Short mmCIF file of all heavy atoms in Angstrom, two decimals:
data_model
loop_
_atom_site.label_atom_id
_atom_site.label_comp_id
_atom_site.label_asym_id
_atom_site.label_seq_id
_atom_site.Cartn_x
_atom_site.Cartn_y
_atom_site.Cartn_z
N MET H 7 -18.14 4.03 8.94
CA MET H 7 -16.85 3.45 8.61
C MET H 7 -16.88 2.92 7.18
O MET H 7 -17.93 2.65 6.63
CB MET H 7 -16.52 2.32 9.58
CG MET H 7 -17.46 1.11 9.46
SD MET H 7 -17.09 -0.16 10.65
CE MET H 7 -15.44 -0.59 10.15
N ARG H 8 -15.70 2.84 6.61
CA ARG H 8 -15.62 2.29 5.26
C ARG H 8 -14.70 1.08 5.27
O ARG H 8 -13.73 1.03 6.01
CB ARG H 8 -15.08 3.34 4.29
CG ARG H 8 -16.11 4.40 3.99
CD ARG H 8 -15.83 5.05 2.68
NE ARG H 8 -14.55 5.73 2.68
CZ ARG H 8 -13.93 6.12 1.57
NH1 ARG H 8 -14.45 5.88 0.40
NH2 ARG H 8 -12.77 6.74 1.64
N LEU H 9 -15.02 0.14 4.41
CA LEU H 9 -14.15 -1.01 4.30
C LEU H 9 -14.10 -1.48 2.86
O LEU H 9 -14.99 -1.19 2.06
CB LEU H 9 -14.63 -2.15 5.20
CG LEU H 9 -16.01 -2.71 4.91
CD1 LEU H 9 -15.97 -4.21 4.82
CD2 LEU H 9 -16.96 -2.30 6.02
N VAL H 10 -13.02 -2.15 2.56
CA VAL H 10 -12.82 -2.67 1.22
C VAL H 10 -12.36 -4.11 1.35
O VAL H 10 -11.52 -4.42 2.19
CB VAL H 10 -11.74 -1.86 0.47
CG1 VAL H 10 -11.45 -2.47 -0.90
CG2 VAL H 10 -12.16 -0.41 0.32
N VAL H 11 -12.90 -4.97 0.52
CA VAL H 11 -12.42 -6.35 0.48
C VAL H 11 -11.74 -6.56 -0.86
O VAL H 11 -12.30 -6.25 -1.92
CB VAL H 11 -13.57 -7.36 0.64
CG1 VAL H 11 -13.05 -8.79 0.53
CG2 VAL H 11 -14.29 -7.17 1.96
N ASP H 12 -10.52 -7.03 -0.82
CA ASP H 12 -9.79 -7.38 -2.03
C ASP H 12 -10.33 -8.72 -2.52
O ASP H 12 -9.96 -9.78 -2.02
CB ASP H 12 -8.30 -7.48 -1.73
CG ASP H 12 -7.49 -7.75 -2.99
OD1 ASP H 12 -8.08 -8.18 -4.00
OD2 ASP H 12 -6.27 -7.55 -2.95
N LEU H 13 -11.21 -8.63 -3.49
CA LEU H 13 -11.90 -9.86 -3.93
C LEU H 13 -10.97 -10.77 -4.73
O LEU H 13 -11.29 -11.92 -4.99
CB LEU H 13 -13.15 -9.49 -4.74
CG LEU H 13 -14.23 -8.79 -3.90
CD1 LEU H 13 -15.39 -8.35 -4.78
CD2 LEU H 13 -14.73 -9.67 -2.77
N ASN H 14 -9.83 -10.23 -5.15
CA ASN H 14 -8.85 -11.10 -5.80
C ASN H 14 -8.15 -11.99 -4.78
O ASN H 14 -7.68 -13.07 -5.11
CB ASN H 14 -7.81 -10.26 -6.54
CG ASN H 14 -8.43 -9.56 -7.73
OD1 ASN H 14 -9.21 -10.14 -8.47
ND2 ASN H 14 -8.09 -8.30 -7.91
N ARG H 15 -8.07 -11.49 -3.55
CA ARG H 15 -7.46 -12.27 -2.49
C ARG H 15 -8.44 -13.21 -1.83
O ARG H 15 -8.08 -14.29 -1.38
CB ARG H 15 -6.97 -11.32 -1.41
CG ARG H 15 -5.52 -11.08 -1.44
CD ARG H 15 -5.17 -10.30 -0.20
NE ARG H 15 -3.96 -9.58 -0.45
CZ ARG H 15 -3.13 -9.21 0.52
NH1 ARG H 15 -3.45 -9.46 1.76
NH2 ARG H 15 -2.04 -8.59 0.24
N CYS H 16 -9.67 -12.74 -1.70
CA CYS H 16 -10.69 -13.48 -0.96
C CYS H 16 -10.83 -14.89 -1.51
O CYS H 16 -10.97 -15.09 -2.71
CB CYS H 16 -12.02 -12.74 -1.06
SG CYS H 16 -13.40 -13.68 -0.38
N GLN H 17 -10.77 -15.85 -0.61
CA GLN H 17 -10.90 -17.25 -1.01
C GLN H 17 -12.22 -17.84 -0.56
O GLN H 17 -12.40 -19.05 -0.59
CB GLN H 17 -9.74 -18.07 -0.40
CG GLN H 17 -8.37 -17.60 -0.83
CD GLN H 17 -8.14 -17.82 -2.32
OE1 GLN H 17 -8.46 -18.88 -2.84
NE2 GLN H 17 -7.59 -16.83 -3.00
N GLY H 18 -13.11 -16.99 -0.10
CA GLY H 18 -14.42 -17.48 0.29
C GLY H 18 -14.42 -18.35 1.52
O GLY H 18 -15.23 -19.26 1.66
N TYR H 19 -13.52 -18.07 2.44
CA TYR H 19 -13.45 -18.88 3.66
C TYR H 19 -14.62 -18.60 4.60
O TYR H 19 -14.87 -19.37 5.52
CB TYR H 19 -12.15 -18.61 4.42
CG TYR H 19 -10.94 -19.15 3.73
CD1 TYR H 19 -9.91 -18.31 3.34
CD2 TYR H 19 -10.82 -20.52 3.47
CE1 TYR H 19 -8.79 -18.80 2.71
CE2 TYR H 19 -9.72 -21.01 2.83
CZ TYR H 19 -8.69 -20.16 2.46
OH TYR H 19 -7.58 -20.64 1.83
N ALA H 20 -15.24 -17.43 4.41
CA ALA H 20 -16.47 -17.08 5.14
C ALA H 20 -16.27 -16.80 6.63
O ALA H 20 -17.23 -16.75 7.37
CB ALA H 20 -17.54 -18.15 4.96
N GLN H 21 -15.04 -16.62 7.04
CA GLN H 21 -14.82 -16.21 8.44
C GLN H 21 -15.52 -14.89 8.71
O GLN H 21 -16.10 -14.67 9.76
CB GLN H 21 -13.31 -16.06 8.72
CG GLN H 21 -12.53 -17.32 8.49
CD GLN H 21 -12.86 -18.40 9.49
OE1 GLN H 21 -13.38 -18.12 10.55
NE2 GLN H 21 -12.58 -19.63 9.13
N CYS H 22 -15.43 -13.99 7.75
CA CYS H 22 -16.03 -12.66 7.93
C CYS H 22 -17.54 -12.76 8.01
O CYS H 22 -18.18 -12.05 8.79
CB CYS H 22 -15.60 -11.74 6.79
SG CYS H 22 -16.03 -12.35 5.16
N VAL H 23 -18.11 -13.63 7.21
CA VAL H 23 -19.57 -13.80 7.21
C VAL H 23 -20.04 -14.30 8.57
O VAL H 23 -21.05 -13.86 9.11
CB VAL H 23 -19.99 -14.79 6.10
CG1 VAL H 23 -21.50 -14.98 6.09
CG2 VAL H 23 -19.49 -14.30 4.75
N PHE H 24 -19.24 -15.18 9.14
CA PHE H 24 -19.59 -15.74 10.44
C PHE H 24 -19.50 -14.68 11.53
O PHE H 24 -20.34 -14.60 12.42
CB PHE H 24 -18.64 -16.91 10.74
CG PHE H 24 -18.87 -17.55 12.07
CD1 PHE H 24 -20.02 -18.31 12.29
CD2 PHE H 24 -17.96 -17.41 13.10
CE1 PHE H 24 -20.23 -18.91 13.52
CE2 PHE H 24 -18.16 -18.01 14.33
CZ PHE H 24 -19.31 -18.75 14.54
N LEU H 25 -18.48 -13.81 11.44
CA LEU H 25 -18.23 -12.84 12.50
C LEU H 25 -19.03 -11.56 12.35
O LEU H 25 -19.30 -10.88 13.34
CB LEU H 25 -16.73 -12.52 12.56
CG LEU H 25 -15.89 -13.68 13.11
CD1 LEU H 25 -14.42 -13.47 12.81
CD2 LEU H 25 -16.12 -13.82 14.60
N ALA H 26 -19.39 -11.20 11.13
CA ALA H 26 -20.16 -9.97 10.90
C ALA H 26 -21.21 -10.20 9.82
O ALA H 26 -21.12 -9.69 8.70
CB ALA H 26 -19.22 -8.83 10.50
N PRO H 27 -22.22 -10.98 10.15
CA PRO H 27 -23.20 -11.40 9.14
C PRO H 27 -24.04 -10.26 8.58
O PRO H 27 -24.63 -10.42 7.50
CB PRO H 27 -24.06 -12.43 9.89
CG PRO H 27 -23.83 -12.17 11.33
CD PRO H 27 -22.46 -11.60 11.46
N ASP H 28 -24.09 -9.13 9.27
CA ASP H 28 -24.86 -8.01 8.73
C ASP H 28 -24.06 -7.21 7.71
O ASP H 28 -24.60 -6.33 7.04
CB ASP H 28 -25.30 -7.07 9.86
CG ASP H 28 -26.39 -7.71 10.71
OD1 ASP H 28 -27.05 -8.64 10.21
OD2 ASP H 28 -26.55 -7.29 11.87
N VAL H 29 -22.78 -7.50 7.61
CA VAL H 29 -21.92 -6.73 6.70
C VAL H 29 -21.46 -7.59 5.52
O VAL H 29 -21.39 -7.12 4.39
CB VAL H 29 -20.69 -6.18 7.46
CG1 VAL H 29 -19.76 -5.42 6.50
CG2 VAL H 29 -21.13 -5.27 8.61
N PHE H 30 -21.14 -8.85 5.81
CA PHE H 30 -20.63 -9.74 4.78
C PHE H 30 -21.62 -10.84 4.48
O PHE H 30 -22.27 -11.37 5.38
CB PHE H 30 -19.30 -10.37 5.23
CG PHE H 30 -18.25 -9.37 5.58
CD1 PHE H 30 -18.03 -9.03 6.90
CD2 PHE H 30 -17.48 -8.77 4.60
CE1 PHE H 30 -17.06 -8.09 7.25
CE2 PHE H 30 -16.51 -7.84 4.94
CZ PHE H 30 -16.29 -7.50 6.26
N GLU H 31 -21.69 -11.19 3.22
CA GLU H 31 -22.61 -12.26 2.82
C GLU H 31 -22.00 -13.03 1.66
O GLU H 31 -21.48 -12.42 0.72
CB GLU H 31 -23.94 -11.64 2.39
CG GLU H 31 -24.98 -12.67 2.00
CD GLU H 31 -26.24 -12.02 1.43
OE1 GLU H 31 -26.25 -10.79 1.26
OE2 GLU H 31 -27.19 -12.74 1.16
N LEU H 32 -22.04 -14.32 1.75
CA LEU H 32 -21.57 -15.15 0.64
C LEU H 32 -22.77 -15.65 -0.14
O LEU H 32 -23.70 -16.21 0.41
CB LEU H 32 -20.79 -16.36 1.17
CG LEU H 32 -19.28 -16.21 1.32
CD1 LEU H 32 -18.69 -17.50 1.87
CD2 LEU H 32 -18.60 -15.85 0.02
N ARG H 33 -22.73 -15.41 -1.44
CA ARG H 33 -23.80 -15.91 -2.30
C ARG H 33 -23.21 -16.92 -3.25
O ARG H 33 -22.24 -16.62 -3.95
CB ARG H 33 -24.43 -14.76 -3.09
CG ARG H 33 -25.15 -13.78 -2.18
CD ARG H 33 -25.81 -12.68 -2.97
NE ARG H 33 -26.09 -11.55 -2.07
CZ ARG H 33 -26.34 -10.33 -2.49
NH1 ARG H 33 -26.33 -10.06 -3.78
NH2 ARG H 33 -26.59 -9.37 -1.63
N GLY H 34 -23.79 -18.07 -3.28
CA GLY H 34 -23.23 -19.11 -4.12
C GLY H 34 -21.93 -19.61 -3.50
O GLY H 34 -21.72 -19.50 -2.31
N ASN H 35 -21.04 -20.11 -4.31
CA ASN H 35 -19.83 -20.70 -3.78
C ASN H 35 -18.76 -19.69 -3.45
O ASN H 35 -18.03 -19.84 -2.49
CB ASN H 35 -19.26 -21.72 -4.79
CG ASN H 35 -20.06 -23.00 -4.77
OD1 ASN H 35 -20.70 -23.30 -3.77
ND2 ASN H 35 -20.04 -23.74 -5.86
N GLU H 36 -18.63 -18.64 -4.25
CA GLU H 36 -17.46 -17.79 -4.10
C GLU H 36 -17.76 -16.32 -4.01
O GLU H 36 -16.90 -15.55 -3.61
CB GLU H 36 -16.53 -18.00 -5.30
CG GLU H 36 -15.96 -19.40 -5.34
CD GLU H 36 -14.93 -19.54 -6.44
OE1 GLU H 36 -14.69 -18.55 -7.15
OE2 GLU H 36 -14.40 -20.64 -6.58
N ALA H 37 -18.95 -15.87 -4.40
CA ALA H 37 -19.18 -14.44 -4.52
C ALA H 37 -19.45 -13.82 -3.15
O ALA H 37 -20.49 -14.04 -2.55
CB ALA H 37 -20.35 -14.18 -5.45
N LEU H 38 -18.49 -13.05 -2.70
CA LEU H 38 -18.66 -12.35 -1.43
C LEU H 38 -19.28 -10.98 -1.70
O LEU H 38 -18.77 -10.20 -2.50
CB LEU H 38 -17.32 -12.18 -0.73
CG LEU H 38 -17.40 -11.42 0.60
CD1 LEU H 38 -18.03 -12.29 1.68
CD2 LEU H 38 -16.05 -10.91 1.04
N HIS H 39 -20.36 -10.71 -1.03
CA HIS H 39 -20.97 -9.38 -1.09
C HIS H 39 -20.80 -8.74 0.28
O HIS H 39 -20.87 -9.42 1.29
CB HIS H 39 -22.46 -9.49 -1.44
CG HIS H 39 -22.69 -9.96 -2.84
ND1 HIS H 39 -23.09 -9.15 -3.87
CD2 HIS H 39 -22.52 -11.19 -3.37
CE1 HIS H 39 -23.18 -9.85 -4.97
NE2 HIS H 39 -22.84 -11.09 -4.71
N TYR H 40 -20.60 -7.42 0.29
CA TYR H 40 -20.39 -6.76 1.57
C TYR H 40 -20.85 -5.32 1.48
O TYR H 40 -21.02 -4.77 0.39
CB TYR H 40 -18.93 -6.84 1.99
CG TYR H 40 -17.97 -6.08 1.07
CD1 TYR H 40 -17.51 -4.82 1.43
CD2 TYR H 40 -17.55 -6.64 -0.12
CE1 TYR H 40 -16.65 -4.12 0.60
CE2 TYR H 40 -16.69 -5.95 -0.95
CZ TYR H 40 -16.23 -4.70 -0.59
OH TYR H 40 -15.39 -4.01 -1.41
N ASP H 41 -21.04 -4.73 2.64
CA ASP H 41 -21.46 -3.34 2.72
C ASP H 41 -20.22 -2.47 2.91
O ASP H 41 -19.62 -2.46 3.99
CB ASP H 41 -22.42 -3.17 3.90
CG ASP H 41 -22.89 -1.73 4.05
OD1 ASP H 41 -22.46 -0.86 3.25
OD2 ASP H 41 -23.69 -1.48 4.96
N PRO H 42 -19.80 -1.73 1.89
CA PRO H 42 -18.56 -0.96 2.00
C PRO H 42 -18.69 0.25 2.93
O PRO H 42 -17.69 0.84 3.32
CB PRO H 42 -18.29 -0.51 0.56
CG PRO H 42 -19.61 -0.56 -0.12
CD PRO H 42 -20.41 -1.63 0.57
N ASN H 43 -19.92 0.60 3.27
CA ASN H 43 -20.15 1.71 4.19
C ASN H 43 -20.88 1.21 5.43
O ASN H 43 -21.94 1.71 5.80
CB ASN H 43 -20.98 2.81 3.51
CG ASN H 43 -20.26 3.39 2.33
OD1 ASN H 43 -19.17 3.93 2.46
ND2 ASN H 43 -20.85 3.27 1.16
N ALA H 44 -20.31 0.23 6.06
CA ALA H 44 -20.96 -0.40 7.20
C ALA H 44 -21.18 0.60 8.32
O ALA H 44 -20.39 1.52 8.53
CB ALA H 44 -20.11 -1.56 7.70
N ASP H 45 -22.26 0.40 9.03
CA ASP H 45 -22.58 1.25 10.16
C ASP H 45 -21.49 1.15 11.23
O ASP H 45 -20.89 0.10 11.42
CB ASP H 45 -23.92 0.79 10.75
CG ASP H 45 -24.49 1.82 11.70
OD1 ASP H 45 -24.06 1.85 12.86
OD2 ASP H 45 -25.37 2.59 11.25
N ASP H 46 -21.24 2.26 11.91
CA ASP H 46 -20.22 2.26 12.95
C ASP H 46 -20.52 1.26 14.06
O ASP H 46 -19.62 0.80 14.75
CB ASP H 46 -20.09 3.65 13.55
CG ASP H 46 -19.11 4.51 12.75
OD1 ASP H 46 -18.43 3.95 11.86
OD2 ASP H 46 -19.02 5.71 13.02
N ALA H 47 -21.80 0.93 14.21
CA ALA H 47 -22.16 -0.06 15.21
C ALA H 47 -21.56 -1.43 14.89
O ALA H 47 -21.43 -2.28 15.76
CB ALA H 47 -23.68 -0.17 15.30
N GLU H 48 -21.17 -1.61 13.64
CA GLU H 48 -20.58 -2.88 13.21
C GLU H 48 -19.07 -2.90 13.34
O GLU H 48 -18.42 -3.89 12.99
CB GLU H 48 -20.96 -3.16 11.75
CG GLU H 48 -22.44 -3.33 11.52
CD GLU H 48 -22.95 -4.64 12.09
OE1 GLU H 48 -22.16 -5.58 12.24
OE2 GLU H 48 -24.16 -4.72 12.39
N ARG H 49 -18.52 -1.78 13.81
CA ARG H 49 -17.06 -1.64 13.78
C ARG H 49 -16.32 -2.81 14.43
O ARG H 49 -15.40 -3.38 13.85
CB ARG H 49 -16.66 -0.35 14.48
CG ARG H 49 -15.17 -0.13 14.52
CD ARG H 49 -14.83 1.08 15.35
NE ARG H 49 -15.45 2.29 14.84
CZ ARG H 49 -14.91 3.03 13.87
NH1 ARG H 49 -13.76 2.70 13.37
NH2 ARG H 49 -15.54 4.10 13.44
N LEU H 50 -16.73 -3.16 15.63
CA LEU H 50 -16.02 -4.22 16.34
C LEU H 50 -16.11 -5.54 15.59
O LEU H 50 -15.12 -6.27 15.45
CB LEU H 50 -16.59 -4.37 17.76
CG LEU H 50 -15.82 -5.31 18.68
CD1 LEU H 50 -14.37 -4.89 18.80
CD2 LEU H 50 -16.48 -5.34 20.05
N ARG H 51 -17.30 -5.81 15.08
CA ARG H 51 -17.47 -7.06 14.33
C ARG H 51 -16.64 -7.05 13.06
O ARG H 51 -16.03 -8.07 12.69
CB ARG H 51 -18.95 -7.28 14.01
CG ARG H 51 -19.73 -7.85 15.18
CD ARG H 51 -21.16 -8.19 14.80
NE ARG H 51 -22.00 -7.01 14.85
CZ ARG H 51 -22.72 -6.65 15.91
NH1 ARG H 51 -22.72 -7.42 16.97
NH2 ARG H 51 -23.43 -5.57 15.90
N VAL H 52 -16.60 -5.90 12.40
CA VAL H 52 -15.83 -5.81 11.16
C VAL H 52 -14.33 -5.97 11.46
O VAL H 52 -13.61 -6.65 10.73
CB VAL H 52 -16.10 -4.47 10.44
CG1 VAL H 52 -15.09 -4.25 9.32
CG2 VAL H 52 -17.52 -4.46 9.88
N LEU H 53 -13.87 -5.35 12.55
CA LEU H 53 -12.45 -5.49 12.90
C LEU H 53 -12.11 -6.93 13.25
O LEU H 53 -11.04 -7.43 12.90
CB LEU H 53 -12.12 -4.56 14.07
CG LEU H 53 -12.14 -3.06 13.72
CD1 LEU H 53 -11.92 -2.22 14.97
CD2 LEU H 53 -11.11 -2.72 12.66
N ARG H 54 -13.03 -7.59 13.92
CA ARG H 54 -12.81 -9.01 14.22
C ARG H 54 -12.76 -9.82 12.93
O ARG H 54 -11.95 -10.73 12.78
CB ARG H 54 -13.93 -9.54 15.10
CG ARG H 54 -13.77 -9.15 16.55
CD ARG H 54 -14.78 -9.91 17.39
NE ARG H 54 -14.73 -9.48 18.78
CZ ARG H 54 -15.80 -9.24 19.53
NH1 ARG H 54 -17.01 -9.42 19.02
NH2 ARG H 54 -15.68 -8.87 20.77
N ALA H 55 -13.65 -9.50 12.02
CA ALA H 55 -13.69 -10.21 10.75
C ALA H 55 -12.39 -9.98 9.98
O ALA H 55 -11.80 -10.92 9.42
CB ALA H 55 -14.88 -9.75 9.92
N ALA H 56 -11.91 -8.73 9.98
CA ALA H 56 -10.67 -8.41 9.27
C ALA H 56 -9.51 -9.19 9.87
O ALA H 56 -8.64 -9.70 9.16
CB ALA H 56 -10.41 -6.91 9.31
N ALA H 57 -9.50 -9.27 11.21
CA ALA H 57 -8.41 -9.99 11.88
C ALA H 57 -8.49 -11.48 11.62
O ALA H 57 -7.47 -12.17 11.59
CB ALA H 57 -8.47 -9.71 13.38
N ALA H 58 -9.69 -11.98 11.41
CA ALA H 58 -9.87 -13.43 11.26
C ALA H 58 -9.69 -13.89 9.83
O ALA H 58 -9.50 -15.08 9.58
CB ALA H 58 -11.26 -13.82 11.74
N CYS H 59 -9.75 -12.97 8.89
CA CYS H 59 -9.64 -13.37 7.48
C CYS H 59 -8.29 -14.04 7.23
O CYS H 59 -7.25 -13.43 7.47
CB CYS H 59 -9.79 -12.16 6.58
SG CYS H 59 -9.56 -12.56 4.83
N PRO H 60 -8.29 -15.28 6.75
CA PRO H 60 -7.03 -16.02 6.59
C PRO H 60 -6.10 -15.40 5.55
O PRO H 60 -4.90 -15.65 5.59
CB PRO H 60 -7.49 -17.41 6.13
CG PRO H 60 -8.95 -17.48 6.44
CD PRO H 60 -9.47 -16.09 6.40
N VAL H 61 -6.64 -14.62 4.64
CA VAL H 61 -5.79 -14.02 3.60
C VAL H 61 -5.72 -12.50 3.72
O VAL H 61 -5.24 -11.82 2.84
CB VAL H 61 -6.28 -14.43 2.19
CG1 VAL H 61 -6.09 -15.92 1.98
CG2 VAL H 61 -7.73 -14.05 1.98
N GLN H 62 -6.20 -11.97 4.84
CA GLN H 62 -6.16 -10.54 5.11
C GLN H 62 -6.67 -9.70 3.95
O GLN H 62 -6.02 -8.76 3.49
CB GLN H 62 -4.73 -10.13 5.47
CG GLN H 62 -4.44 -10.43 6.93
CD GLN H 62 -3.01 -10.87 7.16
OE1 GLN H 62 -2.13 -10.51 6.41
NE2 GLN H 62 -2.81 -11.67 8.18
N ALA H 63 -7.82 -10.08 3.46
CA ALA H 63 -8.41 -9.39 2.31
C ALA H 63 -9.23 -8.18 2.72
O ALA H 63 -9.60 -7.38 1.86
CB ALA H 63 -9.29 -10.37 1.53
N ILE H 64 -9.50 -8.02 4.01
CA ILE H 64 -10.40 -6.95 4.46
C ILE H 64 -9.59 -5.77 4.97
O ILE H 64 -8.79 -5.90 5.89
CB ILE H 64 -11.34 -7.46 5.58
CG1 ILE H 64 -12.12 -8.67 5.09
CG2 ILE H 64 -12.28 -6.34 6.02
CD1 ILE H 64 -12.89 -9.38 6.18
N GLN H 65 -9.78 -4.61 4.33
CA GLN H 65 -9.12 -3.37 4.75
C GLN H 65 -10.16 -2.46 5.34
O GLN H 65 -11.19 -2.21 4.73
CB GLN H 65 -8.51 -2.68 3.53
CG GLN H 65 -7.62 -3.56 2.70
CD GLN H 65 -6.17 -3.38 3.06
OE1 GLN H 65 -5.76 -2.30 3.47
NE2 GLN H 65 -5.41 -4.45 2.94
N VAL H 66 -9.88 -1.94 6.52
CA VAL H 66 -10.82 -1.06 7.20
C VAL H 66 -10.24 0.35 7.26
O VAL H 66 -9.09 0.53 7.66
CB VAL H 66 -11.10 -1.56 8.63
CG1 VAL H 66 -12.10 -0.64 9.33
CG2 VAL H 66 -11.63 -2.98 8.60
N GLU H 67 -11.03 1.31 6.85
CA GLU H 67 -10.64 2.71 6.95
C GLU H 67 -11.47 3.37 8.04
O GLU H 67 -12.68 3.32 8.00
CB GLU H 67 -10.88 3.44 5.63
CG GLU H 67 -10.04 2.90 4.50
CD GLU H 67 -10.40 3.55 3.18
OE1 GLU H 67 -11.25 4.45 3.16
OE2 GLU H 67 -9.83 3.12 2.17
N GLN H 68 -10.80 4.00 8.98
CA GLN H 68 -11.50 4.66 10.06
C GLN H 68 -11.42 6.16 9.84
O GLN H 68 -10.44 6.79 10.19
CB GLN H 68 -10.89 4.27 11.40
CG GLN H 68 -10.99 2.78 11.63
CD GLN H 68 -10.59 2.41 13.05
OE1 GLN H 68 -10.57 3.24 13.92
NE2 GLN H 68 -10.27 1.14 13.23
N LEU H 69 -12.47 6.72 9.26
CA LEU H 69 -12.45 8.12 8.87
C LEU H 69 -12.51 9.05 10.06
O LEU H 69 -12.08 10.19 9.98
CB LEU H 69 -13.62 8.42 7.93
CG LEU H 69 -13.59 7.63 6.63
CD1 LEU H 69 -14.75 8.02 5.75
CD2 LEU H 69 -12.29 7.85 5.88
N ASP H 70 -13.02 8.58 11.16
CA ASP H 70 -13.16 9.45 12.32
C ASP H 70 -12.01 9.27 13.30
O ASP H 70 -11.98 9.87 14.35
CB ASP H 70 -14.49 9.21 13.02
CG ASP H 70 -14.63 7.75 13.46
OD1 ASP H 70 -13.84 6.92 12.98
OD2 ASP H 70 -15.51 7.46 14.27
N GLY H 71 -11.03 8.46 12.93
CA GLY H 71 -9.93 8.21 13.83
C GLY H 71 -8.85 9.27 13.71
O GLY H 71 -8.82 10.06 12.77
N ALA H 72 -7.95 9.30 14.67
CA ALA H 72 -6.90 10.31 14.69
C ALA H 72 -5.92 10.09 13.54
O ALA H 72 -5.32 11.03 13.05
CB ALA H 72 -6.17 10.27 16.02
N ASP H 73 -5.76 8.86 13.13
CA ASP H 73 -4.77 8.57 12.10
C ASP H 73 -5.42 8.27 10.76
O ASP H 73 -4.97 7.45 10.01
CB ASP H 73 -3.88 7.40 12.53
CG ASP H 73 -4.69 6.17 12.85
OD1 ASP H 73 -5.93 6.29 12.90
OD2 ASP H 73 -4.10 5.10 13.01
N ALA H 74 -6.50 8.95 10.48
CA ALA H 74 -7.18 8.75 9.20
C ALA H 74 -6.52 9.61 8.12
O ALA H 74 -7.11 10.53 7.58
CB ALA H 74 -8.66 9.09 9.32
N GLY H 75 -5.31 9.32 7.83
CA GLY H 75 -4.57 10.14 6.88
C GLY H 75 -4.73 9.66 5.46
O GLY H 75 -3.77 9.46 4.75
N GLU H 76 -5.94 9.55 5.05
CA GLU H 76 -6.18 9.02 3.71
C GLU H 76 -6.16 10.11 2.66
O GLU H 76 -6.68 11.20 2.86
CB GLU H 76 -7.51 8.26 3.70
CG GLU H 76 -8.51 8.80 2.73
CD GLU H 76 -9.80 8.01 2.72
OE1 GLU H 76 -9.75 6.77 2.86
OE2 GLU H 76 -10.83 8.63 2.56
N ALA H 77 -5.50 9.84 1.56
CA ALA H 77 -5.49 10.80 0.46
C ALA H 77 -6.72 10.55 -0.41
O ALA H 77 -6.89 9.46 -0.95
CB ALA H 77 -4.22 10.63 -0.36
N ALA H 78 -7.55 11.52 -0.54
CA ALA H 78 -8.81 11.33 -1.25
C ALA H 78 -8.59 11.34 -2.75
O ALA H 78 -7.74 12.01 -3.25
CB ALA H 78 -9.80 12.42 -0.88
S1 LIG M 118 -12.81 -14.13 5.62
FE1 LIG M 118 -11.53 -13.25 4.00
S2 LIG M 118 -11.29 -14.90 2.52
FE2 LIG M 118 -13.02 -15.42 3.83
S3 LIG M 118 -14.83 -14.70 2.74
FE3 LIG M 118 -14.19 -13.10 4.16
S4 LIG M 118 -12.84 -11.77 2.96
FE4 LIG M 118 -13.05 -13.68 1.87
#
């Protein structure tokens, strides 16, 4: 799976870090680091993190889904 975090939106609330610690990591006060190609095993955690983000900064792309109509 692929995901993107809009770091301009991200306010460092760390909800995502709490819900998917293998994918998201906060270093220092504000710098969010994440794995943009997270393992599919993390999908549920990543979706929970995306849903919990107070500013909806996390976008998830599901390449294997039926509606993966992404323009490359
Ligand atoms: S939950 Fe949203 S605002 Fe908080 S650190 Fe994660 S991406 Fe940033």
Side-chain angles (χ1 to χ4, degrees):
M7 66 182 298
R8 286 205 297 164
L9 61 130
V10 176
V11 178
D12 184 343
L13 294 176
N14 292 317
R15 258 189 204 205
C16 172
Q17 300 294 316
Y19 290 120
Q21 300 293 339
C22 58
V23 180
F24 179 70
L25 289 165
D28 289 339
V29 178
F30 303 98
E31 182 186 6
L32 268 179
R33 294 182 199 162
N35 284 336
E36 295 186 0
L38 179 73
H39 292 255
Y40 65 100
D41 179 359
N43 298 301
D45 194 279
D46 273 351
E48 296 289 336
R49 179 186 301 275
L50 188 57
R51 280 186 277 266
V52 169
L53 291 175
R54 282 190 184 137
C59 176
V61 293
Q62 279 144 27
I64 303 171
Q65 308 263 329
V66 181
E67 296 174 4
Q68 298 189 19
L69 298 182
D70 57 346
D73 56 350
E76 120 178 323

